[in-house]
Amino acid sequence: MNRKHVVDWLAAYEQVWRTPGTDALVTLFTEDASYQQGPYWTPVVGLPAISRMWEEQRKGPDEVFRMTSEIVAVEGDTAVSRQEVRYGDPVDQEYRDLWIMRFADDGRCRSFEEWPFWPGQQPANPPKGS
């Protein structure tokens, strides 16, 4: 695994999100991949389940959004990236997200974990000065 592969995979992820249907997910994820949408969420396991989740989560291939990515680390089969996604025009929803991806030997993702954050999300008792 190297940074170029991760950059290419992230670009393909965005392209597949913008493409009608979910047939292209097979190019991104292994058949038995797990996809965890938050650190405490139950993982969605297997390509058919990931396909159903994608169709339920997105508004459709014409959904207006802008996504930027920054690779934080690549080590062995694991990569971490920081994403920023802004939905709508004008923007009506935005996220900053950390993605932890573990790749199979064939370059597809076998484990995907998101750590999403959105504006206004703070601890119940933020430290003074926050």
Side-chain angles (χ1 to χ4, degrees):
M1 188 54 46
N2 60 50
R3 284 182 179 271
K4 176 159 181 5
H5 177 83
V6 178
V7 165
D8 292 347
W9 190 91
L10 292 168
Y13 181 105
E14 180 178 350
Q15 183 59 44
V16 171
W17 188 264
R18 294 179 184 277
T19 301
T22 58
D23 291 344
L25 282 173
V26 71
T27 66
L28 296 177
F29 296 98
T30 61
E31 252 335 287
D32 61 346
S34 68
Y35 192 120
Q36 190 172 5
Q37 293 177 281
Y40 296 103
W41 290 39
T42 302
V44 175
V45 179
L47 205 46
I50 293 170
S51 294
R52 285 190 299 276
M53 180 268 300
W54 268 47
E55 287 296 0
E56 291 169 7
Q57 294 291 314
R58 65 183 179 170
K59 292 180 182 171
D62 297 327
E63 183 174 24
V64 175
F65 71 94
R66 185 173 151 257
M67 185 170 92
T68 58
S69 303
E70 174 191 356
I71 297 172
V72 175
V74 178
E75 175 91 20
D77 68 350
T78 303
V80 178
S81 71
R82 182 181 297 125
Q83 309 299 122
E84 188 167 298
V85 185
R86 294 171 179 244
Y87 291 95
D89 183 20
V91 173
D92 60 2
Q93 185 179 31
E94 65 182 90
Y95 295 95
R96 288 190 181 158
D97 216 341
L98 290 177
W99 290 0
I100 303 168
M101 300 150 286
R102 290 184 176 86
F103 293 93
D105 290 341
D106 67 3
R108 293 182 299 159
C109 187
R110 62 181 172 81
S111 174
F112 183 90
E113 181 181 343
E114 290 187 73
W115 289 67
F117 297 89
W118 50 91
Q121 181 184 7
Q122 292 192 23
N125 297 310
K128 291 184 193 267
S130 297

